[in-house]
Amino acid sequence: MDPYREYQDYVMASRLLVALGLSREILPLSQYARLRLRRLRLARGHAEAHLEGRWSALEGLDERLRYGFWTNPLRLREFLRRAPDAPYLASPEAFEALLFPEERARLRYPGQAGEYYLGFLRLPHLLMDPWAFEEALREQESRGEALPLFLNAFHRVPG
């Protein structure tokens, strides 16, 4: 996966969780990248810690990096259980209240980011229907390819 897209997905999950009072942290790109590299080393087994400690560290990093937040149906199901009436989930436009005005202006049309991220919320309901689940993933992939990198973090000019 494109590391910039991964970071954008992380930020949107983090903004949602912070807005709902379920988290207090949004990592800057540089810190996210350092932790992501640490996670990669742990996953490859290059840690000095024993296996159990490595798994525990991986789980902690996965939680902090929101790894799989949008794509893991079990994580999504747990999130929806914790925030069933979240106003940001009401519509694509409501979701985009989490974006800064400049970020919304970078989208191809109003609601584009909301359609993409809210589209993942149907995955937990499709677990028992593998064909529908696969079709939903293909649709999300297509939406993801059309979604620009809109975060301000990617568009800041030094100075």
Side-chain angles (χ1 to χ4, degrees):
M1 173 179 239
D2 173 4
Y4 295 112
R5 175 79 54 199
E6 183 179 311
Y7 180 70
Q8 184 164 279
D9 292 349
Y10 158 79
V11 168
M12 294 315 302
S14 295
R15 285 182 186 177
L16 177 61
L17 294 170
V18 167
L20 298 174
L22 300 173
S23 178
R24 296 173 28 188
E25 177 180 61
I26 301 176
L27 299 170
L29 180 57
S30 60
Q31 189 175 3
Y32 179 88
R34 279 193 301 277
L35 290 176
R36 184 65 175 90
L37 289 173
R38 182 171 173 224
R39 185 202 180 279
L40 183 62
R41 284 191 306 273
L42 281 170
R44 288 184 176 164
H46 296 293
E48 290 82 37
H50 65 333
L51 184 60
E52 187 176 312
R54 195 167 67 229
W55 281 112
S56 178
L58 267 173
E59 287 177 359
L61 283 171
D62 283 355
E63 184 68 30
R64 192 164 180 205
L65 296 172
R66 319 270 188 245
Y67 201 71
F69 178 88
W70 296 110
T71 56
N72 182 326
L74 301 178
R75 283 184 186 242
L76 284 172
R77 183 184 301 165
E78 177 59 28
F79 164 71
L80 291 170
R81 206 178 349 253
R82 291 171 50 202
D85 298 321
Y88 302 101
L89 307 181
S91 70
E93 292 76 16
F95 183 85
E96 289 182 4
L98 298 169
L99 277 64
F100 293 107
E102 314 86 60
E103 293 171 335
R104 282 192 296 275
R106 291 184 190 108
L107 299 174
R108 291 191 173 96
Y109 57 89
Q112 183 183 18
E115 285 177 1
Y116 174 68
Y117 290 107
L118 295 182
F120 286 110
L121 300 183
R122 62 194 160 146
L123 295 181
H125 307 292
L126 299 176
L127 277 174
M128 300 308 289
D129 186 346
W131 288 279
F133 187 84
E134 288 296 320
E135 178 59 33
L137 286 179
R138 278 192 295 277
E139 188 176 310
Q140 287 305 109
E141 186 176 323
S142 176
R143 284 179 176 160
E145 289 170 1
L147 186 66
L149 292 174
F150 57 81
L151 289 183
N152 284 344
F154 302 136
H155 296 275
R156 292 206 171 107
V157 177

